[in-house]
Amino acid sequence: DTGAISSAVHSRSGVWSPDGKYFAIGGVNGSDKPVIVYSWENGQLNFLDEYTLTSCWNCQSISWSPDGKYLAASPYTGSTALIIFKFDGSKLSLIRSVLDVESPGFTSAESFDWSADGKYLFVGFKTDSENWTSGILKVFSINNDSAEELKYLEKSLSGGAATVNVHPNLPIVATMSNGTPQVQFWQFDDTGREKLTEIEGCNKWTGSKSLRRASWSSDGRYVSLVGLSTVAGDGSACWVYEFSNGTLTERARFNHGSNLLDTSWHPSGKYLLISGNDDGGGINVKVLKFDGNNLTNITDCEIDVGTSYSAKWHPSGNYLGLLSLEDTLIKCYKFENESVSLAGTYNHG
C-alpha cells in the first residue's frame, strides 16, 4: 500500500480537510510551492493541485476552513506573509495575498485558525525577524470569496505568536507566545461591529516555557501544548490543561527529551499525537493515552521517521498523517487497537 508522488521538497506543515477527503501540505526549502493538495481515497493519497510562488523557501502553517471551502497558508518569501485560497474539490484559486509592504516589519504569519462558522480567520504575525519579541493578532473576514482585514480588531502580542487556536465550541481565541504573558484568551463578539476583548484573570505563564504548537480537544475541555527544549530547567514536554471559565488547570505532562513541534487530539479525546525531534531513543512520533489525569506513551505506536514538524489525526481517528523532514516523505499510518501500521508512503521531494 505504498505510492510515490513527486511534488515538493521538505514540508513543515500538513493538515487534513474537515471531511477527511483531502490532505494539504506546505512546501519548504526553496520549492516555490507553498501549498500542495492531495485527495485521500481508499487509504491512498493522490496529487490534485499546487500553487507556485516565486522565492518561497518555507511554509510555517496551513489550515482548512471548517467547511473545507478555503485554505490558508503562511509562506516565507520576504514579501508575502499570508495567502488564502478558495478550494472547489480539485483546484486552488487565490483570493487574498497579504504582503509585508501592507504591514511593514511582518516577517511571517506564524499560526492561524478559523472561527467555527468559517467567517473569520485569526492570524498571529511575528513582527521581529531576529527574535521572538513582538507580534500582532489580526482578524480577516471571509465573505463572498474575498478576505478583508478588520484592522480595528488588531491586538499586540508579546513574544511573537507561536500558535493561535480557536475554541471548537465557544467564540474564544487562545494566543500563545514566548514572551510575557505567554498565554492570552480573547473573547470574540460578531454581533454588530466585531469586538475582540481579552479575558482577564486566566492563568498566564511568564516566559517559563518555549511553546511551539497547541491543540484543543474536540469538546473544548482540554488544550494540549508542546514546546522546545531550549528553556533551562523546563525541558521539552507535552502539557494538557483543562479550560474552564477562562482559567487553565494543569492535568498532565509528558516529557519527550527533545524538541516537540506539533500536537493533535484524537476525535475521541482519549489520545494525543505528538511529533518532533529524536527523543534520544530514536523515536520522533508518539501516541499518548489520556485518562483525564495522566499521559501514557503507547509503545506500539512509537514511530521513527526522522524529524517530524507535523503529525495530524485523520478526522475519522482511524489514520494519522505525518511529515518527515529528513527523508522528504508523507507517511500515513492506520491506527487500530492502540497500535499503528504503515498504510502509505509518499515522496514529496
Side-chain angles (χ1 to χ4, degrees):
D1 291 332
T2 61
I5 297 173
S6 179
S7 292
V9 192
H10 308 56
S11 181
R12 289 173 177 255
S13 51
V15 62
W16 297 98
S17 62
D19 61 9
K21 294 181 179 180
Y22 307 98
F23 188 69
I25 67 170
V28 74
N29 287 2
S31 69
D32 289 342
K33 298 171 183 175
V35 177
I36 305 167
V37 179
Y38 304 92
S39 64
W40 174 253
E41 302 174 77
N42 301 318
Q44 292 288 304
L45 290 175
N46 301 291
F47 171 77
L48 276 182
D49 197 16
E50 62 190 14
Y51 179 75
T52 299
L53 184 64
T54 303
S55 300
C56 177
W57 62 274
N58 198 332
C59 189
Q60 189 73 11
S61 298
I62 190 167
S63 178
W64 295 94
S65 63
D67 59 9
K69 293 182 179 180
Y70 299 99
L71 187 65
S74 57
Y76 283 2
T77 65
S79 62
T80 304
L82 176 71
I83 45 181
I84 305 173
F85 301 89
K86 181 181 179 181
F87 180 67
D88 65 4
S90 61
K91 294 294 182 182
L92 294 164
S93 301
L94 184 68
I95 66 169
R96 180 67 191 267
S97 177
V98 180
L99 306 178
D100 286 346
V101 293
E102 296 178 49
S103 304
F106 287 9
T107 60
S108 64
E110 290 297 311
S111 180
F112 38 81
D113 201 4
W114 300 82
S115 61
D117 59 12
K119 294 181 179 180
Y120 300 93
L121 181 65
F122 299 86
V123 187
F125 289 90
K126 182 175 69 173
T127 56
D128 179 359
S129 61
E130 299 298 327
N131 302 294
W132 289 72
T133 58
S134 62
I136 290 179
L137 176 65
K138 286 178 171 285
V139 184
F140 293 82
S141 173
I142 312 298
N143 186 35
N144 294 326
D145 298 339
S146 65
E148 176 189 0
E149 180 184 342
L150 304 181
K151 294 185 177 181
Y152 52 89
L153 294 179
E154 183 178 297
K155 301 294 181 181
S156 296
L157 301 173
S158 62
T163 183
V164 176
N165 297 85
V166 179
H167 192 282
N169 305 314
L170 299 173
I172 293 175
V173 183
T175 58
M176 304 178 193
S177 69
N178 295 317
T180 299
Q182 282 193 277
V183 178
Q184 294 169 276
F185 287 86
W186 308 86
Q187 182 80 42
F188 181 64
D189 182 359
D190 64 350
T191 56
R193 183 178 171 90
E194 294 91 346
K195 297 179 182 179
L196 192 62
T197 308
E198 184 173 3
I199 300 175
E200 299 293 342
C202 68
N203 295 356
K204 301 176 182 180
W205 298 295
T206 55
S208 63
K209 297 174 172 60
S210 184
L211 301 176
R212 172 70 186 189
R213 284 289 181 260
S215 177
W216 288 100
S217 60
S218 59
D219 61 4
R221 181 177 178 181
Y222 300 102
V223 61
S224 61
L225 313 174
V226 293
L228 310 183
S229 57
T230 56
V231 181
D234 205 19
S236 176
C238 173
W239 298 269
V240 173
Y241 284 81
E242 185 172 5
F243 175 78
S244 178
N245 297 320
T247 63
L248 295 175
T249 303
E250 184 172 339
R251 292 305 182 198
R253 170 176 173 162
F254 180 86
N255 295 322
H256 177 69
S258 187
N259 292 342
L260 281 173
L261 305 172
D262 201 9
T263 176
S264 174
W265 281 95
H266 189 273
S268 69
K270 296 179 179 180
Y271 306 100
L272 265 176
L273 184 60
I274 59 173
S275 65
N277 296 132
D278 190 325
D279 66 353
I283 303 302
N284 314 91
V285 179
K286 298 176 180 177
V287 176
L288 309 178
K289 190 171 185 177
F290 179 60
D291 64 4
N293 293 290
N294 301 284
L295 286 169
T296 305
N297 181 38
I298 303 175
T299 56
D300 287 344
C301 295
E302 293 181 336
I303 302 172
D304 176 13
V305 293
T307 298
S308 178
Y309 276 84
S310 180
K312 301 294 186 185
W313 288 106
H314 186 272
S316 68
N318 297 325
Y319 292 91
L320 58 95
L322 56 90
L323 306 174
S324 173
L325 183 65
E326 294 178 1
D327 55 15
T328 66
L329 295 176
I330 305 172
K331 291 189 174 181
C332 296
Y333 289 81
K334 185 173 179 59
F335 178 70
E336 189 175 26
N337 298 323
E338 296 192 349
S339 65
V340 295
S341 58
L342 186 65
T345 301
Y346 307 89
N347 183 355
H348 59 90

